[in-house]
Every structure is written in structure tokens, then in C-alpha cells.
Amino acid sequence: MTAEGESRPPSRAAEVAEAAARAFRLLPAAPRDLDPPAGKGPRSPARRISSDPDTVERDLLRLVLTLVELLRQLMERQALHRVDQGDLTDEQEERLGVTLMLLHDRMSDLCAQYGLTMEDLNLDLGPLGTLLPPSD
């Protein structure tokens, strides 16, 4: 039984939403918050991160899937490099190929399950370009 004046603990989703909102407030993403580099013209406006409590779970999932996709692509490139070098046996090449195909299929399934596309995972890093290379 709770004593009078004590409140119930906030739900986990509310805690995550509040933590995300606090973190996003620390990011200087509005154009007025960013100083243009010395000697250069005005910067293009930065996109502000939306910290809507209703979409925080989906946004967090999008970020996690983006990181997993980045790692998957790095692993795939490393595997191709090792195949080109001749470091792997035929059995290892086959097992690696099947594993990478299954991982790609699972990533596609997760994106579809949460209403995302693989293009949604490619974050725009402003002047650096996009996080992930263009898909072939």
C-alpha cells in the first residue's frame, strides 16, 4: 500500500521519452544555435531532432537498426576483401556468404515490421554526406 502523497513510478516509455528529450535539448541543432565557420558564408540550416514521446521507441529502433546496418555493411566489405585475398577456404566462403545473406534478409524483415525502409536508415550527416554508402 502506498502512503498518501507518494506517486506511482513513471512508465518505462515515459522515462525513455524524458531521457531522450533531455538529451535532445543539449544538441545545438537549430540554425540560431550554430555559429558559421570563420570566413565562410552562412551555414545551411540543420535539421532538428524530433523528440516526440509517441515516436521515441520507433526513432530509437531506427537508430539501432542504422548501427546494425552499418556494421553489416562493414562486415560484408571485410568478407569480400578476404575472399579477394584468398584467405578463406571454399567452405568458409560459402558459410560467410549464407550468413551475410541471412543477416541482410533479417534486417529487411525488421525494417518492414516497424514500417521502415533501408533508405530510412541512411542518416544525413550534413557536409559529410550520408552515413551509409549508396545501395547498389
Side-chain angles (χ1 to χ4, degrees), residues 23-38:
F24 294 146
R25 282 193 298 267
L26 297 174
L27 298 174
R32 68 183 173 279
D33 296 337
L34 300 171
D35 296 326

Side-chain angles (χ1 to χ4, degrees), residues 26-59:
L26 297 174
L27 298 174
R32 68 183 173 279
D33 296 337
L34 300 171
D35 296 326
K40 299 210 177 181
R43 293 176 70 152
S44 62
R47 292 188 319 185
R48 190 154 202 66
I49 297 174
S50 172
S51 61
D52 183 6
D54 297 332
T55 63
V56 72
E57 182 179 355
R58 184 176 185 270
D59 294 340

Side-chain angles (χ1 to χ4, degrees), residues 1-15:
M1 185 170 274
T2 60
E4 216 173 297
E6 283 185 35
S7 62
R8 297 177 80 193
S11 71
R12 188 70 177 148
E15 287 177 10

Side-chain angles (χ1 to χ4, degrees), residues 52-121:
D52 183 6
D54 297 332
T55 63
V56 72
E57 182 179 355
R58 184 176 185 270
D59 294 340
L60 182 61
L61 180 71
R62 180 179 172 212
L63 178 61
V64 169
L65 287 178
T66 298
L67 293 174
V68 171
E69 177 62 13
L70 176 63
L71 292 173
R72 186 197 68 78
Q73 288 186 16
L74 291 173
M75 288 173 21
E76 189 175 271
R77 287 186 179 157
Q78 181 65 27
L80 289 174
H81 177 71
R82 290 191 65 197
V83 167
D84 290 343
Q85 295 270 327
D87 291 348
L88 302 173
T89 65
D90 289 342
E91 180 184 322
Q92 289 173 325
E93 284 181 25
E94 181 68 24
R95 196 173 60 208
L96 189 57
V98 168
T99 301
L100 290 172
M101 286 189 321
L102 288 172
L103 183 56
H104 183 270
D105 290 345
R106 185 63 181 132
M107 282 294 298
S108 297
D109 292 345
L110 284 169
C111 285
Q113 182 179 345
Y114 289 96
L116 298 168
T117 64
M118 294 301 275
E119 290 78 30
D120 291 334
L121 305 183

